[in-house]
Amino acid sequence: MSDKLHCKEIDAFIRNLRLINHRAGVQPGIIDLLEAYAGLRLERDDEVSFFDNDINIKDKEIEAFLSKNSHLDHRILNFLASYFMEMKIRGLKCILTSSHLAHLLNLSADEMNWLANDRKNHYRHFTRKKRDGSTRDIFTPRARLKEVQRRILDDILYGVRLNSHAHGFRKKRSIITNAARHIDKNIVIKMDAKDFFPSITFQRVYGMFASLGYPRQVSVLLTKLVTHSGRLPIGAPTSPAISNIVCRRMDKRFAGLGEKMGFDYSRYADDLTISSNNNKITKLIQFFKEIMQEEGFEVKEAKMRILRSSGRQKVTGIVVNKKQNIERKEIKKLRAVIHNCTNKDIRKEAINWAEREKDLNNPTAYTLIRFKHSLMGRVNFVKSVNPEIGEKLLLQVRNLEFSYQGNMG
């Protein structure tokens, strides 16, 4: 059965389920939970069944939940226990209603609605210049909303299992692990998704929460709490994790296709990389673009690259021709910075670094201690890719004098 046909049959079943229960006079909140539960079961090709009257589940969390709600009809308890278990299997927190969500987020109902429905007043807006000269809109949530978003991130989003081919915004994953899949390949194809976060709309985020198994009202509120002006905002702590979840199906499609057609695939945020030793892989580029379009993303043509082994192949900043390495010009630049710090004015070098590497509007306010941390971070990154060169650079940085910590003015 094709995925599209399977989805249509599931949608038809759920529509009928809602209609039957609506006609039977079942409460809307229970109907939403029935819909969410049915979606979870059918996603696994399981029957939509409930536990028997005698609930016997050896799980302290579920036992506590049933104990708190022992006043409910046993049929409803059976269903709620079934739903609770489906969410737990997936490693997700069960959220039954909007009031339940408010409790988990440590909010009153009024405050949650204020944060969800007055979003424009809960963000700060500024722009950041891109390398190509254009600007990027950044929307950072104010303190209270940011606190709530971090709870959503920790308690819900981090529990979602991601595709192994996604390497951005994940613990124990990095641009290094992303590049590792593409070492010593004849062809490396790099594609960027245009306007990555903003292209993930309110409806797509809502669909994500609903597909995770949350009932409609809960999904709507969660979506309102993590979106701005109908889009996923660049600057919210929840946006990176949401983007990875939204991309799960696209990652699965590319990874599955790669197994069949002999190519490797990885994604780091909006950077998609495909590599192969079969030079004919380039004939599939149009097909790759179509997959991205079907998944709601557009290729940024200006940044698309086809890299052959005869030239330098670089993936997320890492050279991958024969082994992982750092570009020579990057090593040369760091050596020059360390040399200037040793033999010239270290404060002047810090200002140059703030202008060139950090793109700060007021580079003279950049402190030496911040310069030290930034330079050490860059050198430690080199060490993680090329330990021999990195260790030598690190020893030189440690010997520098960063005792002056005031402003550069």
Side-chain angles (χ1 to χ4, degrees):
M1 184 186 296
S2 71
D3 287 342
K4 286 186 178 179
L5 183 59
H6 189 240
C7 288
K8 285 182 179 179
E9 290 186 348
I10 289 176
D11 290 343
F13 178 88
I14 289 176
R15 280 198 303 271
N16 288 332
L17 181 71
R18 290 191 67 88
L19 182 61
I20 291 168
N21 282 276
H22 175 72
R23 287 175 176 172
V26 178
Q27 294 178 2
I30 297 297
I31 295 177
D32 284 350
L33 286 169
L34 283 167
E35 175 187 46
Y37 170 72
L40 292 174
R41 296 288 293 183
L42 293 171
E43 180 190 88
R44 292 197 292 134
D45 290 325
D46 286 337
E47 291 183 3
V48 182
S49 59
F50 306 96
F51 290 113
D52 295 330
N53 291 345
D54 228 353
I55 303 172
N56 184 22
I57 311 168
K58 294 181 179 180
D59 184 288
K60 290 183 179 179
E61 196 174 359
I62 294 177
E63 287 174 357
F65 169 77
L66 294 173
S67 177
K68 287 180 182 178
N69 294 279
S70 59
H71 60 285
L72 295 175
D73 183 278
H74 74 273
R75 292 168 298 180
I76 294 177
L77 280 179
N78 290 341
F79 160 64
L80 292 178
S82 302
Y83 174 65
F84 198 110
M85 198 65 182
E86 283 296 324
M87 296 297 282
K88 190 173 183 67
I89 287 170
R90 291 162 172 78
L92 296 173
K93 191 174 288 292
C94 184
I95 306 174
L96 302 174
T97 62
S98 58
S99 58
H100 189 191
L101 175 62
H103 173 74
L104 290 173
L105 296 177
N106 196 25
L107 297 170
S108 68
D110 287 343
E111 187 177 16
M112 182 172 68
N113 287 325
W114 172 63
L115 289 170
N117 295 302
D118 191 21
R119 284 161 285 167
K120 289 185 179 179
N121 293 324
H122 297 306
Y123 286 87
R124 295 186 179 90
H125 172 245
F126 61 94
T127 58
R128 182 173 293 166
K129 188 179 291 186
K130 299 182 187 178
R131 291 182 179 179
D132 61 7
S134 62
T135 58
R136 175 182 284 116
D137 288 313
I138 311 294
F139 294 93
T140 58
R142 297 182 188 276
R144 188 58 174 142
L145 180 58
K146 181 180 283 188
E147 181 184 343
V148 170
Q149 288 178 345
R150 290 198 180 280
R151 285 202 193 103
I152 293 171
L153 182 65
D154 292 337
D155 293 344
I156 298 174
L157 300 176
Y158 278 157
V160 181
R161 299 182 183 105
L162 299 175
N163 189 284
S164 62
H165 294 256
H167 291 263
F169 319 123
R170 300 181 66 181
K171 292 179 180 178
K172 298 181 180 180
R173 302 291 180 96
S174 66
I175 59 176
I176 297 173
T177 61
N178 179 68
R181 289 183 178 271
H182 310 289
I183 297 172
D184 197 20
K185 298 291 180 65
N186 288 346
I187 299 285
V188 174
I189 300 168
K190 296 171 62 177
M191 299 184 294
D192 272 32
K194 185 178 180 182
D195 298 325
F196 184 55
F197 281 5
S199 68
I200 300 175
T201 62
F202 182 98
Q203 195 59 36
R204 294 178 73 184
V205 177
Y206 166 79
M208 178 206 76
F209 280 118
S211 71
L212 294 177
Y214 292 107
R216 291 191 180 195
Q217 191 178 26
V218 171
S219 295
V220 168
L221 282 167
L222 285 168
T223 303
K224 286 182 175 182
L225 289 168
V226 299
T227 57
H228 177 271
S229 298
R231 306 279 174 180
L232 201 62
I234 301 172
T238 44
S239 292
I242 289 172
S243 72
N244 271 340
I245 299 169
V246 168
C247 286
R248 285 193 305 175
R249 190 172 70 176
M250 181 174 72
D251 293 337
K252 183 180 179 181
R253 289 181 69 181
F254 273 115
L257 189 64
E259 289 179 5
K260 293 177 182 178
M261 307 195 74
F263 66 79
D264 277 296
Y265 163 79
S266 69
R267 182 181 58 80
Y268 190 94
D270 58 347
D271 294 334
L272 284 72
T273 306
I274 289 168
S275 64
S276 177
N277 287 321
N278 185 348
N279 293 327
K280 293 181 180 180
I281 194 70
T282 55
K283 294 181 178 180
L284 293 175
I285 289 176
Q286 185 55 41
F287 182 43
F288 297 153
K289 291 180 182 179
E290 289 172 5
I291 291 176
M292 290 181 66
Q293 288 172 353
E294 288 172 2
E295 296 299 329
F297 298 103
E298 182 183 347
V299 176
K300 192 171 184 178
E301 296 289 351
K303 294 190 72 175
M304 184 168 174
R305 299 287 184 271
I306 300 173
L307 308 175
R308 303 181 187 277
S309 57
S310 55
R312 186 176 65 240
Q313 296 170 314
K314 192 167 70 169
V315 176
T316 47
I318 309 293
V319 177
V320 294
N321 285 74
K322 292 295 181 183
K323 62 179 182 178
Q324 286 191 334
N325 210 341
I326 302 294
E327 273 194 289
R328 290 180 182 177
K329 67 177 184 180
E330 177 68 15
I331 304 297
K332 187 176 180 180
K333 179 177 69 177
L334 287 172
R335 283 174 173 157
V337 170
I338 295 169
H339 173 82
N340 290 341
C341 288
T342 304
N343 299 286
K344 298 181 181 180
D345 188 342
I346 192 171
R347 289 181 295 173
K348 184 177 179 180
E349 196 60 30
I351 293 172
N352 291 338
W353 182 272
E355 288 178 337
R356 185 177 62 246
E357 303 297 326
K358 310 300 288 185
D359 196 26
L360 297 181
N361 293 328
N362 185 17
T364 58
Y366 195 59
T367 61
L368 282 177
I369 196 65
R370 289 175 66 192
F371 175 45
K372 175 185 177 181
H373 290 158
S374 181
L375 186 57
M376 288 280 282
R378 194 73 62 87
V379 170
N380 273 314
F381 169 68
V382 172
K383 183 183 174 184
S384 66
V385 180
N386 189 321
E388 184 179 352
I389 293 177
E391 189 59 50
K392 291 178 181 178
L393 292 174
L394 195 58
L395 182 62
Q396 293 171 5
V397 173
R398 284 173 178 159
N399 289 332
L400 294 175
E401 180 57 59
F402 290 97
S403 59
Y404 182 87
Q405 297 182 21
N407 289 353
M408 304 300 167

